[in-house]
Amino acid sequence: AVELLLAAMGLLDSSADEGGLEGGGLLPKSWRSRCLSYSTMSEALAAAARGQQAELPDAHPEANRRRPKATPPALLPALQSDERHRRFAELLVRELDAAYMFMADERDASAHTLDSLEKLAERYRASMANKPKGDPYMKAKLKSGLGELYQSQTWHVLFRMYNHGVTQRLIKLQAQLTEDETDSARVPPGEEEGRSAAEAEEGLGMGVDGGGDVGRGATDASVEKSLTLFVMSHAFFMEAGTTTSCANDVAQLYAALFCHGDTEVAQTALGLLYASEAAGTSVGGGASRKKFNFGIKVGASAVLSAWVIWDCVVDDSMGKDIWSDPAFKVYRGLGNLILLLWCWGINMMVWRSVGIDYERFLNLTPAQAGSDPCYAIWSEANDLSIAFLLSFICFWKALRGVFLQQYATELAHLFPFSLFVYVMYRAVTPWSERKLLYSSIRDVMQAPWGTTKFKEGYVGDILTSTPRVLIDLIFSVGYFAGGVKAWSRHSFHATALALDKDTVQTNIFFAELIVPAVTILPLWWRFLQNLQRSYDTRERWPHLGNAMKYVTAQTVGLYGLYHPDARQNPLWIFGFVFATMYQFTWDIFMDWDMVRIKGGTVKMRETLLYKSPTFYICIACINLVLRFFWTLTLLPEGGAEAWQQNIQVRLSPILAGAEICRRCMWGFLRLENEHLHVYGTAIDETFDGMETSKMQPMKMGGGGGGSGGSSGGREQEPACLDLGFIRIQSSTKHLSNQEVLNELTALAVFVAGVALLTMFII
């Protein structure tokens, strides 16, 4: 953006080598690295002029050597006889050949991309038969793909402009150096060695005559003209029609799809899209300015976070202990809620980086062409983080009496109250953007009578990771309700007293009903969702196996909730470990389909969207450790000794935050596996979309299936489940609807009975 502004004002030196030469700064880094380097070439020319060996390093050893080089242009006979010009021509042709091969590869890639987009356009037109506006995901991918392809054609032009500018400077330098060699015969020996390429270039701005004789100027002009004709006859500069043709095809396709066939309007729209990305002038404010403001906010959040950590850890002994204040639970819940928002942005960034079609899987509104939805998520999380940290610091300082000494106790608890109101307000506004979130939660709660597909199952899994967050939010409502009740009595001091004491945690209704319900209901909903999937697909496996995963976690959690004194019982410890290992094993073999057992050997699946196997191993190890932490979040705080309570209070935000981070990493591989199951490979800009009818939740075989797409890459699902002592037929298609319903109802009643038995009898 700065380069464009300076260029418009005439302040940008067009002869600058780095980033500012003939639009080079507008090229992406991968293109700039392929441009001719004036500094390297000028040093080689100066060395050649001194009679030294002029060898350029091979800057691009990975270039496509299989592609035939362009036919080198012919040097004029007058220059061919001169060894100096012949060496110069060889050096320049070598660099132009490398640039030409890079351009040819890019043209082929553009042609392949355009062909794929044309196929996607046909599918989009076909989708308009069922929907007047067509498939929104295909429409978004078409606009984004055509915009990026049109932008790449602009890069082709800028790439030529940049290299043309470099070659013109090199030609002038060559003419200057060769003329200096002629003049050096009149210079005493030893003085000519002091002349460098930089000194030679200083004479370029002196004009043709430049203080010398007319014959020398004419010679320079003749050499420059001959070398320019030689360079411009290279295929790199001659074959420019392909770029123009591809750009026209892109504009025509965009016009036919979105501009009623008006090519001029399409070119304007595509040009504005590229200009907004390049200059940072997109709708809603400059993109560069937004990123700059985002960076400033991140810096502010980092400083405030360091301040909070210092006060909580290093400076904890000063004044009142905040850990025992009931408002700490408010900050704990809101902080983990904000962390969940940060993790959601990270999920989207990782999915987008490998081409996972998360928008379609999760029924999200497609992002506009050229926009990055991650920044919008992170910007909102950043605003909430700054508000959270400022409120926390002010609350602690007021509680300690660092400021507002005469009103410290009365005013301190207004900080968490104002923060809670602000976060809740942001949680529901704007409603048009928040509606999808709450409708997804509603769909989860409606199981088994609602719709259960991938999105509902994924949201249900996220809810199972947030019991501690939800409990803290419900606690905040009751906590502030007590303060409002005291305030209604027109007693500000009574309000402070009401907020200074924890009357919610000891409330029997909260402790015996709210906490167990919030802890267990997400697990129960996921259990019912799996029963519904079993009914819809008429398959017991893997849905009932997945349902049992939530049953074990539910049983362990209920027993720990209602029998806190029995947590040291070896039987409960065994159940705790068994439930955790069950979940971890299901993650590895089913949810991620990461590990497969074939022929007695254990190995990772072949198709990996994340290229490093170490990435998968690290996530699996972290997931195993944090799975144990997740089970601990199902247990309420408390302990027989004071030191146990202190440890749990200090570890509780870490445990809840660790579970949110674990779920974030779990989502990396969960969406990847679903994507591979549906598509069979990664989606890039050239992918031609998919049928909406293929959007079904993942089905996996007993031993871990393949990751093939809809063509049937997965292994066939087992006809029966062999447990050694009993064989259970997986399919229930031979049963009537009522028989299947009776079977699943009996299973649900049995699980509910076990839950009641765990709570009140055992």
Side-chain angles (χ1 to χ4, degrees):
V2 174
E3 289 169 1
L4 284 178
L5 178 61
L6 294 178
M9 297 173 62
L11 300 178
L12 183 64
D13 182 11
S14 62
S15 64
D17 182 45
E18 297 297 333
L21 178 62
E22 302 286 343
L26 302 179
L27 290 171
K29 184 177 180 180
S30 60
W31 287 68
R32 290 199 302 269
S33 65
R34 299 287 187 165
C35 293
L36 274 68
S37 174
Y38 176 78
S39 59
T40 304
M41 291 285 293
S42 61
E43 292 175 1
L45 292 179
R50 294 192 297 268
Q52 301 174 357
Q53 186 68 20
E55 288 293 339
L56 294 176
D58 192 356
H60 312 297
E62 74 283 359
N64 187 3
R65 304 303 181 187
R66 295 175 298 176
R67 181 183 297 277
K69 296 182 180 179
T71 302
L75 195 62
L76 294 179
L79 300 179
Q80 183 69 27
S81 60
D82 193 329
E83 179 66 22
R84 300 166 301 175
H85 295 311
R86 192 164 58 250
R87 291 199 305 266
F88 170 75
E90 291 174 355
L91 292 175
L92 199 57
V93 166
R94 173 192 167 185
E95 294 300 305
L96 289 177
D97 283 343
Y100 172 78
M101 287 189 289
F102 172 72
M103 283 280 290
D105 290 339
E106 292 297 324
R107 285 199 303 267
D108 291 346
S110 298
H112 178 68
T113 301
L114 180 59
D115 182 65
S116 298
L117 289 173
E118 289 175 346
K119 294 179 181 178
L120 180 59
E122 293 298 327
R123 297 169 66 88
Y124 174 70
R125 292 189 182 98
S127 69
M128 298 179 69
N130 300 325
K131 299 180 181 179
K133 296 184 179 181
D135 189 318
Y137 300 100
M138 290 186 183
K139 181 178 180 180
K141 187 164 288 295
L142 275 170
K143 284 191 172 183
S144 177
L146 290 172
E148 292 174 1
L149 183 56
Y150 193 83
Q151 181 185 38
S152 69
Q153 303 311 300
T154 309
W155 291 342
H156 285 244
V157 177
L158 293 176
F159 187 69
R160 285 195 178 90
M161 291 172 57
Y162 185 98
N163 287 286
H164 178 267
V166 173
T167 55
Q168 291 301 308
R169 293 178 63 194
L170 291 173
I171 289 172
K172 290 183 179 181
L173 179 59
Q174 171 69 7
Q176 185 71 35
L177 289 172
T178 54
E179 185 62 29
D180 288 345
E181 285 190 25
T182 303
D183 294 342
S184 65
R186 308 166 193 167
V187 180
E191 293 186 12
E192 60 176 306
E193 296 180 0
R195 297 185 60 86
S196 63
E199 292 173 340
E201 190 180 3
E202 290 178 359
L204 297 180
M206 299 174 58
V208 176
D209 294 328
D213 54 78
V214 177
R216 171 179 173 177
T219 302
D220 286 349
S222 176
V223 170
E224 290 181 17
K225 181 178 180 180
S226 300
L227 291 176
T228 299
L229 292 175
F230 165 75
V231 170
M232 294 307 296
S233 61
H234 193 279
F236 177 77
F237 296 108
M238 295 294 291
E239 298 181 7
T242 305
T243 299
T244 305
S245 176
C246 185
N248 291 336
D249 292 342
V250 171
Q252 291 175 5
L253 181 58
Y254 192 93
L257 293 173
F258 309 116
C259 301
H260 304 288
D262 194 328
T263 306
E264 293 184 359
V265 175
Q267 290 175 339
T268 303
L270 292 169
L272 288 175
L273 176 62
Y274 167 69
S276 65
E277 293 178 356
T281 56
S282 58
V283 178
S288 298
R289 180 178 299 177
K290 287 182 179 180
K291 292 183 178 180
F292 177 78
N293 293 338
F294 177 76
I296 292 294
K297 292 179 181 179
V298 169
S301 298
V303 173
L304 293 174
S305 298
W307 191 348
V308 168
I309 293 174
W310 179 273
D311 283 350
C312 290
V313 179
V314 181
D315 206 18
D316 187 32
S317 59
M318 293 180 57
K320 187 172 180 179
D321 182 15
I322 194 174
W323 303 97
S324 60
D325 194 284
F328 174 74
K329 297 183 178 66
V330 179
Y331 284 108
R332 182 178 63 189
L334 296 178
N336 283 309
L337 191 64
I338 297 172
L339 176 62
L340 183 62
L341 189 60
W342 278 105
C343 289
W344 173 242
I346 295 174
N347 274 128
M348 295 175 66
M349 178 194 70
V350 173
W351 294 332
R352 288 170 63 88
S353 67
V354 294
I356 293 176
D357 194 10
Y358 69 94
E359 291 177 335
R360 186 185 292 272
F361 293 149
L362 301 176
N363 293 339
L364 301 178
T365 302
Q368 296 182 355
S371 64
D372 188 351
C374 302
Y375 276 104
I377 299 296
W378 288 335
S379 179
E380 186 162 357
N382 215 343
D383 294 340
L384 294 174
S385 298
I386 292 176
F388 171 85
L389 294 170
L390 285 175
S391 175
F392 188 83
I393 292 172
C394 292
F395 169 69
W396 201 336
K397 298 299 182 183
L399 201 64
R400 290 176 168 183
V402 176
F403 62 92
L404 303 175
Q405 289 87 350
Q406 63 273 31
Y407 301 107
T409 304
E410 288 79 2
L411 291 179
H413 290 83
L414 292 181
F415 290 109
F417 176 72
S418 59
L419 176 67
F420 182 79
V421 173
Y422 172 69
V423 173
M424 292 300 102
Y425 170 76
R426 293 290 295 271
V428 296
T429 56
W431 179 249
S432 59
E433 299 179 5
R434 307 290 187 265
K435 183 179 179 180
L436 179 62
L437 170 64
Y438 295 106
S439 63
S440 300
I441 296 176
R442 179 203 61 199
D443 293 338
V444 173
M445 298 172 62
Q446 288 178 346
W449 297 283
T451 300
T452 301
K453 291 188 177 181
F454 181 83
K455 181 197 73 172
E456 290 76 16
Y458 188 82
V459 173
D461 281 324
I462 293 178
L463 289 178
T464 61
S465 296
T466 58
R468 182 56 56 190
V469 179
L470 298 175
I471 290 172
D472 286 340
L473 294 179
I474 296 175
F475 169 86
S476 302
V477 173
Y479 171 67
F480 290 122
V484 171
K485 181 179 180 181
W487 175 78
S488 64
R489 300 173 181 173
H490 307 287
S491 174
F492 195 74
H493 183 66
T495 304
L497 291 178
L499 295 177
D500 193 48
K501 297 180 180 179
D502 187 356
T503 58
V504 179
Q505 195 73 33
T506 57
N507 185 281
I508 189 172
F509 178 77
F510 179 82
E512 299 295 332
L513 182 61
I514 297 297
V515 171
V518 174
T519 303
I520 301 304
L521 276 178
L523 300 171
W524 177 252
W525 290 331
R526 284 296 289 133
F527 169 75
L528 294 179
Q529 283 182 330
N530 281 279
L531 296 189
Q532 183 178 357
R533 288 301 304 150
S534 178
Y535 179 82
D536 294 339
T537 62
R538 292 299 191 272
E539 294 289 343
R540 295 189 177 97
W541 181 262
H543 307 296
L544 297 188
N546 195 20
M548 290 300 105
K549 178 183 71 173
Y550 299 100
V551 170
T552 56
Q554 173 183 291
T555 304
V556 171
L558 281 174
Y559 193 81
L561 283 168
Y562 285 92
H563 309 281
D565 297 334
R567 294 177 193 168
Q568 298 180 355
N569 189 302
L571 184 60
W572 184 86
I573 295 176
F574 171 79
F576 172 82
V577 174
F578 175 79
T580 304
M581 294 306 299
Y582 190 166
Q583 296 156 8
F584 174 73
T585 304
W586 194 271
D587 289 340
I588 295 295
F589 288 96
M590 305 302 291
D591 284 346
W592 299 343
D593 191 21
M594 188 176 76
V595 177
R596 298 174 181 173
I597 302 177
K598 291 184 178 180
T601 60
V602 179
K603 61 180 181 179
M604 293 181 63
R605 56 176 155 84
E606 297 178 358
T607 306
L608 302 176
L609 297 186
Y610 309 105
K611 300 305 179 183
S612 175
T614 306
F615 178 78
Y616 293 85
I617 296 174
C618 290
I619 288 184
C621 295
I622 295 174
N623 183 69
L624 175 61
V625 175
L626 296 186
R627 272 291 186 185
F628 285 95
F629 285 4
W630 171 77
T631 310
L632 292 177
T633 62
L634 301 178
L635 306 179
E637 299 175 7
E641 303 294 338
W643 65 270
Q644 294 177 335
Q645 298 179 6
N646 292 334
I647 291 178
Q648 285 194 357
V649 168
R650 285 165 171 77
L651 285 180
S652 59
I654 299 177
L655 292 177
E659 170 55 22
I660 292 174
C661 295
R662 185 201 68 80
R663 183 60 67 180
C664 173
M665 292 183 289
W666 178 89
F668 296 161
L669 304 187
R670 182 65 185 91
L671 265 292
E672 181 211 26
N673 190 25
E674 183 70 10
H675 180 98
L676 290 175
H677 174 59
V678 174
Y679 294 107
T681 184
I683 288 185
D684 52 19
E685 293 81 358
T686 66
F687 190 79
D688 61 352
M690 60 167 269
E691 297 288 349
T692 307
S693 60
K694 294 181 181 178
M695 283 300 303
Q696 297 295 335
M698 184 167 48
K699 302 176 183 178
M700 288 188 242
S707 58
S710 58
S711 59
R714 284 188 183 276
E715 295 179 351
Q716 187 177 0
E717 297 177 5
C720 61
L721 180 63
D722 190 354
L723 300 178
F725 60 91
I726 187 175
R727 294 172 61 89
I728 302 176
Q729 189 173 2
S730 177
S731 176
T732 58
K733 295 178 181 179
H734 62 285
L735 301 177
S736 65
N737 292 345
Q738 187 61 44
E739 289 175 330
V740 175
L741 186 61
N742 292 340
E743 176 184 312
L744 298 177
T745 302
L747 179 60
V749 171
F750 173 76
V751 171
V754 171
L756 295 175
L757 191 68
T758 303
M759 293 164 54
F760 303 114
I761 299 178
I762 296 180

